[in-house]
Every structure is written in structure tokens, then in C-alpha cells.
Amino acid sequence: MRKLILLLSLILASNIAEAQFGGQRQNRFNRQPRTSTEPTDTQKEKFKNDMKEKQQEFISKFLLKLDADEFQQEIVKITLTEYFEKLILFNQKTFERQIGKDDALKKMQDEHFADLRSLMSKSDMKKIDDLIEGKNLKELDKEERKKKKRKKRKKEEKEDSKNND
């Protein structure tokens, strides 16, 4: 009886040890060596410039949806550009808790768009608030996808017509 209990406890202990450390041993030898994928300064600068271009394009598309005059559109454009720059700096800060970060972000948004709220109509301000929350991104993405599909179809039609000739 003692031999049986000793045997069972030995098997149980070996199974526990294998479960905890067996995978580590296997992964230690099968790992691929890590290579540094840090972007270079030129890549960082190129990425930053591309993002600024996309940001300006995004803002100009959004301004077309607003029912505002040229003066208001220019103020919205400047305000959104400044907001996105502040947002980049805000995201580089570290917070202890996510709740604190969310509260600070909401406070920053309210302060930044306070002057704009008195200038714009409620419907336009709702559109801007939706943009800040990311609700309008889906609509703009749909438009982009439609344009890409149209271009792709036209390109395929041209290729088909060339192949048939």
C-alpha cells in the first residue's frame, strides 16, 4: 500500500513539474532570435509626415460634412489640428490607472473645444463630438473603401478589355 501511494505521488509530482516547466524547456530551444525592429530616424520622420498628410486630408473631408461658413470651417480646421497635436502628446504620458487617463482625456477635450461650442451650431458640434469619439471614422472609411473598389473595378475592366483585344 505504501509503495502504491509513493508511486502515485511521484507520478503526480512529475506531471505537475512537467506542466509547469516542460513548455519552458521546449520554447527555450525552439525560439527564433530576436532582431531589433526599431525604426530609424528617417523612417520615423517619414511616418510623421505621412500621418500629418493623412490628418489634413481627414480634416478636410470632415469639413465638407459641416454646415458652416468658411470662417467657421477655418476655425474648426485649426482647432482640430491643435487637438490632434495635443492628443499625440497626451498619449505619450503615462498614467497609473486607465480611469485617470479617461478622465484627463475628457477634461482636455472639454477645455479644448469650449470656445468652439459657443461659435458652432448644436448639429455641427454634435458632428465634431462624434468625430472626437470616433463615430464618424466608420463613415469616412466606408467612403474610402467605396472609392478604392471603384478604382479597382475600373482597373480590372481595363485589363479585361486589353486581354480580350
Side-chain angles (χ1 to χ4, degrees), residues 2-152:
R2 284 184 173 176
K3 290 182 181 180
L4 184 61
I5 292 174
L6 184 62
L7 183 63
L8 287 174
S9 62
L10 183 63
I11 291 173
L12 183 62
S14 65
N15 283 340
I16 291 172
E18 179 66 28
Q20 288 181 352
F21 303 111
Q24 289 178 357
R25 191 175 342 118
Q26 184 181 16
N27 288 339
R28 187 180 316 145
F29 296 112
N30 292 337
R31 284 187 191 159
Q32 296 292 329
R34 290 187 180 182
T35 57
S36 177
T37 58
E38 281 292 317
T40 62
D41 290 336
T42 56
Q43 289 173 335
K44 287 180 183 178
E45 193 65 32
K46 182 181 176 189
F47 179 74
K48 192 175 185 180
N49 291 336
D50 289 344
M51 289 306 293
K52 284 190 178 192
E53 288 176 15
K54 288 180 182 180
Q55 174 184 334
Q56 292 303 322
E57 182 180 324
F58 177 76
I59 291 172
S60 63
K61 286 181 183 179
F62 176 72
L63 290 176
L64 295 174
K65 294 186 175 198
L66 289 180
D67 300 325
D69 61 2
E70 290 180 28
F71 176 72
Q72 289 174 333
Q73 286 183 351
E74 190 64 31
I75 290 176
V76 170
K77 181 178 180 180
I78 292 168
T79 305
L80 286 175
T81 305
E82 290 173 356
Y83 170 72
F84 286 130
E85 289 172 2
K86 282 185 179 181
L87 190 62
I88 290 170
L89 295 175
F90 179 81
N91 284 329
Q92 292 174 352
K93 294 180 182 179
T94 57
F95 289 89
E96 290 182 22
R97 296 183 180 179
Q98 184 66 27
I99 295 172
K101 186 174 184 176
D102 293 341
D103 292 340
L105 179 63
K106 184 68 175 162
K107 183 178 178 183
M108 182 191 75
Q109 290 171 349
D110 290 342
E111 289 175 359
H112 188 76
F113 291 104
D115 294 335
L116 195 61
R117 290 189 193 287
S118 62
L119 181 67
M120 301 298 292
S121 67
K122 288 183 181 181
S123 62
D124 285 343
M125 215 46 225
K126 173 132 176 66
K127 290 178 185 177
I128 293 171
D129 289 337
D130 289 345
L131 171 74
I132 294 168
E133 293 174 9
K135 293 179 182 175
N136 285 347
L137 296 176
K138 292 179 183 177
E139 293 175 15
L140 293 174
D141 287 342
K142 285 181 184 178
E143 291 175 9
E144 287 293 319
R145 280 187 254 137
K146 285 180 182 178
K147 287 180 184 179
K148 286 181 183 179
K149 283 183 182 179
R150 288 181 197 141
K151 287 181 183 179
K152 187 176 178 180

